[in-house]
């Protein structure tokens, strides 16, 4: 499952966070960019392990070229 | 913002002035880039329907070098009904208003938070609706402490995580 979780705290001192699960590679950033632009400036960006994994299609293409 | 106001039982209108005490007594600092002469003037106003004495919120362009809008409003004496409405009529809102009302110095950014929270949720849901055609669904969830979560998700078939021990 691909999932984006936007957590909006009631406390004004806590930041809104966007978490992406199940999207491999830099695709997660492309997916959330319009949302980040609409919500305001990004203060912190913590990539998950999944961001460093290559999407399956990309891996297959690499395998074919070997 | 109009949708967020409606969801919180407020009214968003195009208006050049907003209702307030009418005289700045210097008890709270002015927002960056604004002077006393700017108070009472706005591009849009947010008001409490059915409470004609309640003060209003002025929506104005920011002057701190950042893009977007900010709010000007008079929260003295609870803004004559405005602040209570901003916190909300639900038990959480009522308890937050009670706490705010007995805390000094009162902070102007605290009452506006539930409205901003709703605004951000509306933005997130608009983003999600634009992705329904790509197979995404979305759901809004609340925590007991008032935190709000918008989950945007879609099932993916096969692929993805298999070789890496799987996320599916």
């Amino acid at each position: 499952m691909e999932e984006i979780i936007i957590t909006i705290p009631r406390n004004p001192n806590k930041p809104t966070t966007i978490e992406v699960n199940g999207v491999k590679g830099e695709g997660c950033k492309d997916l959330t960019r319009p949302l980040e632009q609409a919500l305001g400036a990004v203060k912190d960006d913590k990539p998950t392990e999944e961001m460093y994994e290559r999407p399956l299609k990309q891996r297959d293409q690499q395998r074919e070229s070997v | 913002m109009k949708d967020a106001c409606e969801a919180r039982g407020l009214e968003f209108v195009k208006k050049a002035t907003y209702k307030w005490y009418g005289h700045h007594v210097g008890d709270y600092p002015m927002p960056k880039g604004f002077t006393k002469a700017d108070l009472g003037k706005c591009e849009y106003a947010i008001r409490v329907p059915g409470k004609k004495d309640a003060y209003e919120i002025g929506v104005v362009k920011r002057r701190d070098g950042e893009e977007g809008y900010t709010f000007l409003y008079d929260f003295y004496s609870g803004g004559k009904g405005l602040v209570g409405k901003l916190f909300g009529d639900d038990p959480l809102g009522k308890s937050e208003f009670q706490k705010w009302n007995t805390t000094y110095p009162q902070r102007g950014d605290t009452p506006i938070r539930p409205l901003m929270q709703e605004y951000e949720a509306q933005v997130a849901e608009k983003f999600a609706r634009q992705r329904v055609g790509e197979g995404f669904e979305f759901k809004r969830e609340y925590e007991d402490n008032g935190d709000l979560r918008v989950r945007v998700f879609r099932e993916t078939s096969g692929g993805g995580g298999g070789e890496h021990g799987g996320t599916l």
Side-chain angles (χ1 to χ4, degrees):
Chain A
M1 179 188 282
E2 292 178 346
E3 185 181 43
I4 306 163
I5 303 171
I6 304 111
T7 304
I8 309 163
R10 180 81 161 202
N11 185 333
N13 299 315
K14 290 187 180 172
T16 293
T17 58
I18 302 171
E19 183 186 333
V20 182
N21 299 315
V23 181
K24 299 194 186 307
E26 294 274 341
C28 64
K29 288 194 170 183
D30 295 333
L31 189 63
T32 58
R33 192 165 293 123
L35 183 60
E36 288 167 13
Q37 284 169 347
L39 286 174
V42 177
K43 288 184 180 162
D44 196 10
D45 186 1
K46 289 180 189 156
T48 61
E49 284 181 15
E50 280 175 318
M51 204 194 85
Y52 298 108
E53 293 179 28
R54 280 167 297 170
L56 191 61
K57 198 175 166 189
Q58 200 179 322
R59 293 199 302 265
D60 287 345
Q61 281 168 349
Q62 202 170 49
R63 204 175 295 141
E64 281 165 14
S65 65
V66 172
Chain B
M1 182 49 81
K2 191 169 189 277
D3 292 339
C5 286
E6 280 173 18
R8 299 289 307 169
L10 297 159
E11 198 178 8
F12 183 83
V13 289
K14 177 89 179 145
K15 207 163 167 276
T17 59
Y18 66 92
K19 197 182 295 177
W20 68 299
Y21 179 63
H23 176 70
H24 183 59
V25 295
D27 50 350
Y28 286 93
M30 295 290 299
K32 198 173 174 187
F34 290 87
T35 68
K36 281 195 265 184
D38 297 314
L39 296 175
K41 297 172 192 165
C42 60
E43 290 174 49
Y44 301 91
I46 296 170
R47 58 190 183 196
V48 183
K51 279 198 176 180
K52 69 181 178 74
D53 292 334
Y55 291 159
E56 298 171 346
I57 299 172
V59 183
V60 293
K61 283 219 171 89
R62 289 173 68 152
R63 296 183 186 175
D64 58 357
E66 300 289 330
E67 279 186 36
Y69 288 81
T70 190
F71 304 108
L72 297 175
Y73 70 106
D74 189 346
F75 51 87
Y76 181 74
S77 191
K80 296 190 174 182
L82 171 67
V83 173
K85 187 68 183 173
L86 284 172
F87 276 113
D89 302 323
D90 55 301
L92 176 66
K94 283 181 177 170
S95 80
E96 283 178 337
F97 175 55
Q98 197 174 16
K99 192 176 164 193
W100 177 86
N101 212 19
T102 52
T103 304
Y104 294 94
Q106 290 163 324
R107 288 165 54 89
D109 58 344
T110 310
I112 211 85
R113 182 58 193 159
L115 177 62
M116 285 313 296
Q117 192 187 32
E118 178 61 37
Y119 171 76
E120 289 181 17
Q122 296 275 348
V123 169
E125 287 173 351
K126 184 181 174 191
F127 163 84
R129 269 194 294 276
Q130 287 167 344
R131 269 140 199 93
V132 167
E134 298 164 33
F136 281 99
E137 299 173 56
F138 63 97
K139 199 162 122 181
R140 187 190 286 212
E141 298 164 350
Y142 288 92
E143 296 287 329
D144 290 341
N145 65 0
D147 286 0
L148 192 160
R149 202 163 34 232
V150 177
R151 283 184 57 230
V152 187
F153 55 95
R154 72 174 170 188
E155 294 294 339
T156 46
S157 55
E163 290 182 19
H164 290 268
T167 54
L168 298 177

